[in-house]
Structures are given as structure tokens and as C-alpha cells.
Amino acid sequence: MGEEIIITYQTLFEALQKERERPDLQKLEATFYNDTIQYIIDKKKLLEKNDDSVFASDEKRKTERQLENVYKIIKELYERREKKILMMAFDKSKTKSDLIDTSSLLEEERTLFDVITNMLDGYREGVLGNVLNCKL
């Protein structure tokens, strides 16, 4: 995926659509979150411009609406990915399998996956292991 992807409203919407439609975690550019932050900063700069023309006021309203929608898209995209990461961690802890495909995890998501997997492993060994071995 080495090509540079410019974040737009359309690319964010398409990323969300893919996460909605497919059960597996979808690949995103490694810089997705940073690129998205830059996109939001750029949109906010557009809103800060002081242009009092009628055209500018219409554009400002459109940009405000688009930014509101972008926040909703990002939130839903994150939550869908988060749920898939939780299920991946659960499957990894339960099966102890290295066959769980983690290649679509972003660096920021890898940390979440590892922490949750380790926590599940610890509780699984502590509670289930003790019960199965008749330990209090």
C-alpha cells in the first residue's frame, strides 16, 4: 500500500463503508490517523477564514456540516474497528493461535490488541486455570 493517500470526505466515507460491509478488519494506510487529523485541521482553517461574501457563507455552512459528518464517520469507523480488534484479541487468547491475521492493525491499534490479549490471557490462566486445577 506504499502510495500516499490524501484524506477526503469521500475516502473516510469509503473506509467506513468497507468496515461496515466486511467482517474482517480492513487495511488502512499506516498514517491514516495522522492524515485524518491533518484533514480536520485543514477544514477548521477554512472555517476560520474571514470572508463575508454570500458565497463564502454558503461554503462555510457546507464545511461545518461536512466536518460534523466527518466526526460521526470517524467515531463509527473507530468503534467498528475497535469491536473487530476486541474479537481478534478474544480469538487469539482463546485459541492461542498465531494464525490470527493482525496485518490490518494500525500501530495505534496494535497496542490495544496486545494489551487486551495479554489481559484476557492472564484472566483465562488465573480463573479458568485455577478452576480446572481445583485451586482456590
Side-chain angles (χ1 to χ4, degrees):
M1 292 195 91
E3 67 202 49
E4 182 178 333
I5 301 292
I6 304 291
I7 296 291
T8 64
Y9 181 83
Q10 188 63 32
T11 57
L12 290 171
F13 185 76
E14 288 170 1
L16 175 58
Q17 284 301 101
K18 286 180 184 177
E19 287 299 338
R20 281 179 177 163
E21 294 168 358
R22 299 179 184 155
D24 296 334
L25 195 65
Q26 299 303 297
K27 269 210 183 294
L28 295 173
E29 286 296 316
T31 59
F32 177 79
Y33 287 123
N34 288 335
D35 294 343
T36 301
I37 290 167
Q38 190 57 53
Y39 170 78
I40 292 170
I41 289 169
D42 292 345
K43 286 293 181 184
K44 286 183 174 184
K45 284 180 184 175
L46 285 175
L47 292 175
E48 292 171 1
K49 286 185 178 177
N50 291 330
D51 188 350
D52 295 330
S53 71
V54 174
F55 176 74
S57 128
D58 284 345
E59 282 301 309
K60 188 173 183 175
R61 276 194 298 276
K62 284 180 189 175
T63 302
E64 286 171 341
R65 251 183 276 123
Q66 192 175 56
L67 202 51
E68 288 172 14
N69 288 334
V70 163
Y71 287 136
K72 290 176 186 174
I73 288 170
I74 293 167
K75 184 175 187 271
E76 183 178 346
L77 179 64
Y78 177 85
E79 288 172 350
R80 286 181 178 276
R81 290 182 68 82
E82 181 181 58
K83 184 176 181 180
K84 291 177 183 183
I85 293 166
L86 289 170
M87 292 310 300
M88 287 169 58
F90 175 76
D91 290 343
K92 175 138 176 96
S93 177
K94 183 178 172 187
T95 65
K96 300 289 186 211
S97 172
D98 289 329
L99 299 177
I100 304 294
D101 181 13
T102 59
S103 64
S104 295
L105 290 171
L106 297 174
E107 183 179 329
E108 298 89 349
E109 296 168 336
R110 169 59 77 173
T111 303
L112 174 64
F113 175 78
D114 290 341
V115 167
I116 292 170
T117 302
N118 289 335
M119 186 181 297
L120 289 170
D121 287 348
Y123 277 92
R124 182 176 302 280
E125 290 168 15
V127 176
L128 183 59
N130 283 336
V131 169
L132 294 177
N133 291 314
C134 299
K135 293 182 183 177
L136 295 176

Coordinates of all heavy atoms in Angstrom, one line a residue, residues 33-85:
Y33 N -4.5 7.8 10.8 CA -5.0 8.7 11.9 C -4.3 10.1 11.8 O -4.9 11.2 11.9 CB -4.7 8.1 13.3 CG -5.7 7.0 13.6 CD1 -5.2 5.7 13.9 CD2 -7.1 7.2 13.5 CE1 -6.1 4.7 14.2 CE2 -7.9 6.2 13.8 CZ -7.5 4.9 14.2 OH -8.3 3.9 14.4
N34 N -3.0 10.1 11.5 CA -2.3 11.4 11.3 C -2.9 12.2 10.1 O -3.0 13.4 10.1 CB -0.8 11.2 11.1 CG -0.1 10.8 12.4 OD1 -0.6 11.1 13.5 ND2 1.0 10.1 12.3
D35 N -3.1 11.5 9.0 CA -3.7 12.1 7.8 C -5.1 12.7 8.1 O -5.4 13.7 7.6 CB -3.7 11.1 6.6 CG -2.4 10.7 6.2 OD1 -1.4 11.4 6.5 OD2 -2.3 9.7 5.5
T36 N -5.8 11.9 8.9 CA -7.2 12.4 9.2 C -7.1 13.6 10.1 O -7.9 14.6 9.9 CB -8.0 11.2 9.9 OG1 -8.0 10.1 9.1 CG2 -9.4 11.7 10.3
I37 N -6.2 13.6 11.0 CA -6.0 14.8 11.9 C -5.7 16.0 11.0 O -6.3 17.1 11.2 CB -4.9 14.6 12.9 CG1 -5.4 13.6 14.0 CG2 -4.5 15.9 13.6 CD1 -4.3 13.1 14.9
Q38 N -4.8 15.9 10.0 CA -4.4 17.0 9.1 C -5.6 17.4 8.3 O -5.8 18.6 8.1 CB -3.3 16.6 8.2 CG -2.7 17.7 7.5 CD -2.2 18.8 8.4 OE1 -1.4 18.6 9.3 NE2 -2.7 20.0 8.1
Y39 N -6.4 16.5 7.9 CA -7.6 16.8 7.1 C -8.6 17.7 7.9 O -9.1 18.7 7.5 CB -8.3 15.5 6.7 CG -9.7 15.8 6.1 CD1 -9.9 16.2 4.8 CD2 -10.9 15.5 6.8 CE1 -11.1 16.4 4.2 CE2 -12.1 15.7 6.3 CZ -12.2 16.2 5.0 OH -13.5 16.4 4.4
I40 N -8.8 17.3 9.2 CA -9.6 18.1 10.1 C -9.1 19.5 10.3 O -9.8 20.5 10.3 CB -9.9 17.3 11.4 CG1 -10.7 16.1 11.1 CG2 -10.6 18.2 12.5 CD1 -10.8 15.1 12.3
I41 N -7.8 19.6 10.6 CA -7.1 20.9 10.8 C -7.3 21.8 9.6 O -7.6 22.9 9.7 CB -5.6 20.7 11.1 CG1 -5.4 20.1 12.5 CG2 -4.8 22.0 11.0 CD1 -4.0 19.6 12.8
D42 N -7.1 21.2 8.4 CA -7.3 22.0 7.2 C -8.8 22.5 7.0 O -9.0 23.6 6.6 CB -6.9 21.1 5.9 CG -5.5 20.8 5.9 OD1 -4.7 21.5 6.6 OD2 -5.1 19.9 5.1
K43 N -9.7 21.6 7.4 CA -11.1 22.0 7.3 C -11.4 23.2 8.3 O -12.1 24.1 8.0 CB -12.1 20.9 7.6 CG -12.2 19.9 6.4 CD -12.9 20.5 5.2 CE -13.0 19.6 4.1 NZ -13.6 20.2 2.9
K44 N -10.8 23.0 9.5 CA -11.0 24.1 10.5 C -10.4 25.4 10.1 O -11.0 26.5 10.4 CB -10.5 23.6 11.9 CG -11.3 22.6 12.5 CD -10.7 22.2 13.9 CE -11.7 21.3 14.6 NZ -11.2 21.0 16.0
K45 N -9.3 25.3 9.4 CA -8.7 26.6 8.9 C -9.6 27.3 7.9 O -9.7 28.5 7.9 CB -7.3 26.3 8.3 CG -6.2 26.0 9.3 CD -4.9 25.7 8.6 CE -3.8 25.4 9.6 NZ -2.6 24.9 8.9
L46 N -10.3 26.5 7.1 CA -11.2 27.0 6.1 C -12.3 27.8 6.8 O -12.8 28.8 6.4 CB -11.8 25.9 5.2 CG -11.0 25.4 4.1 CD1 -11.7 24.2 3.4 CD2 -10.6 26.4 3.1
L47 N -12.8 27.2 7.9 CA -13.8 27.8 8.7 C -13.4 29.1 9.4 O -14.2 30.0 9.6 CB -14.4 26.9 9.8 CG -15.1 25.7 9.2 CD1 -15.5 24.7 10.4 CD2 -16.4 26.1 8.5
E48 N -12.1 29.2 9.7 CA -11.6 30.4 10.4 C -11.4 31.6 9.4 O -11.2 32.7 9.9 CB -10.3 30.1 11.1 CG -10.5 29.1 12.2 CD -9.2 28.6 12.8 OE1 -8.1 29.0 12.3 OE2 -9.2 27.8 13.7
K49 N -11.4 31.4 8.1 CA -11.2 32.5 7.2 C -12.3 33.5 7.4 O -13.5 33.2 7.5 CB -11.1 32.0 5.8 CG -9.9 31.3 5.4 CD -9.8 30.9 4.0 CE -8.5 30.2 3.6 NZ -8.5 29.8 2.2
N50 N -11.9 34.8 7.3 CA -12.9 35.9 7.4 C -13.2 36.4 6.1 O -12.6 37.4 5.6 CB -12.3 37.0 8.3 CG -12.2 36.5 9.8 OD1 -13.0 35.7 10.2 ND2 -11.3 37.1 10.5
D51 N -14.2 35.8 5.5 CA -14.7 36.3 4.2 C -16.2 36.4 4.3 O -16.9 35.4 4.6 CB -14.4 35.2 3.1 CG -14.7 35.8 1.7 OD1 -15.3 36.8 1.6 OD2 -14.2 35.1 0.7
D52 N -16.7 37.6 4.2 CA -18.1 37.9 4.4 C -19.0 37.8 3.2 O -20.2 38.2 3.3 CB -18.3 39.3 5.1 CG -17.6 39.3 6.4 OD1 -17.6 38.3 7.1 OD2 -17.2 40.4 6.8
S53 N -18.5 37.3 2.1 CA -19.4 37.2 0.9 C -20.4 36.1 1.1 O -20.3 35.2 1.9 CB -18.5 36.9 -0.3 OG -18.0 35.6 -0.3
V54 N -21.5 36.2 0.3 CA -22.6 35.3 0.4 C -22.1 33.9 0.0 O -22.4 32.9 0.6 CB -23.7 35.7 -0.6 CG1 -24.8 34.6 -0.7 CG2 -24.3 37.0 -0.1
F55 N -21.2 33.8 -1.0 CA -20.6 32.6 -1.5 C -19.8 31.9 -0.3 O -19.9 30.7 0.0 CB -19.7 32.8 -2.7 CG -19.0 31.5 -3.1 CD1 -19.7 30.5 -3.8 CD2 -17.7 31.4 -2.9 CE1 -19.1 29.4 -4.2 CE2 -17.0 30.2 -3.3 CZ -17.7 29.2 -4.0
A56 N -19.0 32.7 0.4 CA -18.2 32.2 1.5 C -19.1 31.7 2.6 O -18.7 30.7 3.2 CB -17.3 33.3 1.9
S57 N -20.2 32.4 2.9 CA -21.0 32.0 3.9 C -21.7 30.7 3.6 O -21.8 29.8 4.5 CB -22.1 33.1 4.2 OG -23.3 32.7 4.2
D58 N -22.1 30.4 2.4 CA -22.6 29.1 2.0 C -21.6 28.0 2.1 O -21.8 26.9 2.6 CB -23.1 29.2 0.5 CG -24.5 29.9 0.4 OD1 -25.1 30.1 1.4 OD2 -24.8 30.3 -0.7
E59 N -20.4 28.3 1.6 CA -19.3 27.4 1.7 C -18.9 27.1 3.2 O -18.6 25.9 3.5 CB -18.0 27.9 1.0 CG -18.1 27.8 -0.5 CD -18.3 26.4 -1.0 OE1 -17.5 25.5 -0.5 OE2 -19.2 26.1 -1.8
K60 N -19.0 28.1 4.0 CA -18.7 27.9 5.4 C -19.8 26.9 6.1 O -19.4 26.0 6.8 CB -18.7 29.2 6.2 CG -18.3 29.1 7.6 CD -18.1 30.5 8.2 CE -17.6 30.3 9.6 NZ -17.3 31.6 10.3
R61 N -21.0 27.1 5.7 CA -22.1 26.2 6.2 C -21.9 24.8 5.7 O -22.0 23.8 6.5 CB -23.5 26.7 5.8 CG -24.0 27.8 6.8 CD -25.5 28.0 6.6 NE -25.8 28.5 5.2 CZ -25.8 29.8 4.9 NH1 -25.4 30.7 5.8 NH2 -26.1 30.1 3.7
K62 N -21.5 24.6 4.5 CA -21.3 23.3 3.9 C -20.1 22.6 4.6 O -20.1 21.5 4.9 CB -21.0 23.4 2.4 CG -22.2 23.7 1.6 CD -21.8 23.7 0.1 CE -22.9 24.2 -0.8 NZ -22.5 24.4 -2.2
T63 N -19.0 23.4 4.8 CA -17.9 22.9 5.5 C -18.2 22.5 6.9 O -17.7 21.5 7.4 CB -16.7 23.9 5.5 OG1 -16.4 24.2 4.1 CG2 -15.4 23.4 6.1
E64 N -19.0 23.3 7.6 CA -19.4 23.0 9.0 C -20.1 21.7 9.1 O -19.9 20.8 9.9 CB -20.2 24.1 9.6 CG -19.4 25.3 10.0 CD -20.3 26.5 10.4 OE1 -21.5 26.5 10.1 OE2 -19.7 27.4 11.0
R65 N -21.1 21.5 8.1 CA -21.9 20.3 8.0 C -21.0 19.1 7.7 O -21.1 18.0 8.3 CB -23.0 20.4 7.0 CG -24.3 20.5 7.6 CD -25.5 20.5 6.6 NE -25.6 21.9 6.2 CZ -25.6 22.3 4.9 NH1 -25.4 21.5 4.0 NH2 -25.7 23.6 4.6
Q66 N -20.1 19.3 6.8 CA -19.2 18.2 6.4 C -18.3 17.8 7.6 O -18.1 16.6 7.8 CB -18.3 18.7 5.2 CG -17.6 17.5 4.6 CD -16.8 18.0 3.3 OE1 -16.0 18.9 3.4 NE2 -17.1 17.4 2.2
L67 N -17.8 18.8 8.3 CA -17.0 18.5 9.5 C -17.7 17.7 10.5 O -17.2 16.8 11.1 CB -16.4 19.8 10.0 CG -15.1 19.7 10.9 CD1 -14.0 18.9 10.2 CD2 -14.6 21.1 11.2
E68 N -19.0 18.1 10.8 CA -19.8 17.3 11.7 C -20.0 15.9 11.2 O -19.9 15.0 12.1 CB -21.2 18.0 11.8 CG -21.3 19.3 12.5 CD -22.6 20.0 12.4 OE1 -23.6 19.3 12.0 OE2 -22.7 21.2 12.7
N69 N -20.2 15.7 10.0 CA -20.3 14.4 9.4 C -19.0 13.6 9.5 O -19.0 12.4 9.7 CB -20.9 14.4 8.0 CG -22.3 14.8 7.9 OD1 -23.1 14.6 8.8 ND2 -22.7 15.4 6.8
V70 N -17.9 14.3 9.3 CA -16.6 13.6 9.4 C -16.4 13.1 10.8 O -15.9 12.0 11.0 CB -15.5 14.6 9.0 CG1 -14.1 14.1 9.5 CG2 -15.5 14.8 7.5
Y71 N -16.8 13.9 11.8 CA -16.6 13.4 13.2 C -17.5 12.2 13.4 O -17.0 11.2 14.1 CB -17.1 14.5 14.2 CG -16.1 15.6 14.3 CD1 -16.5 17.0 14.4 CD2 -14.7 15.4 14.4 CE1 -15.6 18.0 14.5 CE2 -13.8 16.5 14.5 CZ -14.3 17.8 14.5 OH -13.4 18.8 14.7
K72 N -18.7 12.1 12.9 CA -19.5 10.9 13.0 C -18.9 9.7 12.3 O -18.9 8.6 12.8 CB -20.9 11.2 12.5 CG -21.7 12.2 13.3 CD -23.1 12.5 12.6 CE -23.8 13.6 13.4 NZ -25.0 14.0 12.7
I73 N -18.4 10.0 11.1 CA -17.8 8.9 10.4 C -16.6 8.3 11.1 O -16.4 7.1 11.3 CB -17.4 9.4 9.0 CG1 -18.6 9.6 8.1 CG2 -16.4 8.4 8.3 CD1 -18.3 10.3 6.8
I74 N -15.7 9.2 11.6 CA -14.5 8.8 12.3 C -14.9 8.0 13.6 O -14.3 7.0 13.9 CB -13.6 10.0 12.6 CG1 -13.1 10.6 11.3 CG2 -12.5 9.6 13.6 CD1 -12.4 11.9 11.5
K75 N -15.9 8.5 14.3 CA -16.3 7.8 15.5 C -16.8 6.4 15.2 O -16.4 5.4 15.9 CB -17.4 8.6 16.2 CG -17.8 8.1 17.6 CD -18.8 9.0 18.3 CE -19.1 8.6 19.7 NZ -20.2 7.7 19.8
E76 N -17.7 6.3 14.2 CA -18.2 5.0 13.9 C -17.1 4.1 13.3 O -17.1 2.9 13.7 CB -19.4 5.1 12.8 CG -20.0 3.7 12.5 CD -21.1 3.8 11.6 OE1 -21.7 4.9 11.3 OE2 -21.5 2.7 11.1
L77 N -16.3 4.6 12.5 CA -15.2 3.8 12.0 C -14.3 3.3 13.1 O -14.0 2.1 13.1 CB -14.3 4.6 11.0 CG -13.1 4.0 10.4 CD1 -13.5 2.8 9.5 CD2 -12.3 5.0 9.5
Y78 N -13.9 4.1 14.0 CA -13.1 3.7 15.2 C -13.8 2.6 16.0 O -13.2 1.6 16.3 CB -12.8 4.9 16.1 CG -12.0 4.5 17.3 CD1 -10.7 4.3 17.3 CD2 -12.7 4.2 18.5 CE1 -9.9 3.9 18.4 CE2 -12.0 3.7 19.6 CZ -10.6 3.6 19.5 OH -9.9 3.2 20.6
E79 N -15.1 2.8 16.3 CA -15.9 1.9 17.1 C -16.0 0.5 16.4 O -15.9 -0.5 17.0 CB -17.2 2.4 17.5 CG -17.1 3.6 18.5 CD -18.4 4.3 18.8 OE1 -19.4 4.1 18.1 OE2 -18.4 5.1 19.7
R80 N -16.2 0.5 15.1 CA -16.3 -0.7 14.3 C -14.9 -1.5 14.4 O -14.9 -2.7 14.6 CB -16.8 -0.5 12.9 CG -18.2 -0.2 12.8 CD -18.7 0.0 11.4 NE -20.1 0.3 11.4 CZ -21.0 -0.7 11.3 NH1 -20.7 -1.9 11.4 NH2 -22.3 -0.4 11.3
R81 N -13.9 -0.7 14.2 CA -12.5 -1.3 14.2 C -12.2 -1.8 15.6 O -11.7 -2.9 15.8 CB -11.5 -0.3 13.7 CG -11.6 0.0 12.2 CD -10.6 0.9 11.7 NE -9.2 0.4 11.8 CZ -8.7 -0.4 10.8 NH1 -9.4 -0.8 9.8 NH2 -7.5 -0.9 10.9
E82 N -12.6 -1.0 16.6 CA -12.3 -1.4 18.0 C -13.0 -2.7 18.3 O -12.4 -3.6 18.9 CB -12.9 -0.3 18.9 CG -12.6 -0.5 20.4 CD -13.2 0.6 21.2 OE1 -14.4 0.9 21.1 OE2 -12.4 1.2 21.9
K83 N -14.3 -2.9 17.9 CA -15.0 -4.1 18.1 C -14.3 -5.3 17.4 O -14.2 -6.4 18.0 CB -16.5 -4.0 17.6 CG -17.3 -5.2 17.9 CD -18.8 -4.9 17.4 CE -19.6 -6.1 17.7 NZ -21.0 -5.9 17.3
K84 N -13.9 -5.1 16.2 CA -13.2 -6.2 15.5 C -11.9 -6.5 16.2 O -11.5 -7.7 16.3 CB -12.9 -5.8 14.0 CG -14.2 -5.7 13.2 CD -14.0 -5.2 11.8 CE -15.3 -5.1 11.0 NZ -15.0 -4.7 9.6
I85 N -11.2 -5.5 16.7 CA -9.9 -5.8 17.4 C -10.2 -6.6 18.7 O -9.4 -7.5 19.0 CB -9.2 -4.4 17.7 CG1 -8.7 -3.8 16.4 CG2 -8.0 -4.6 18.7 CD1 -8.3 -2.4 16.5

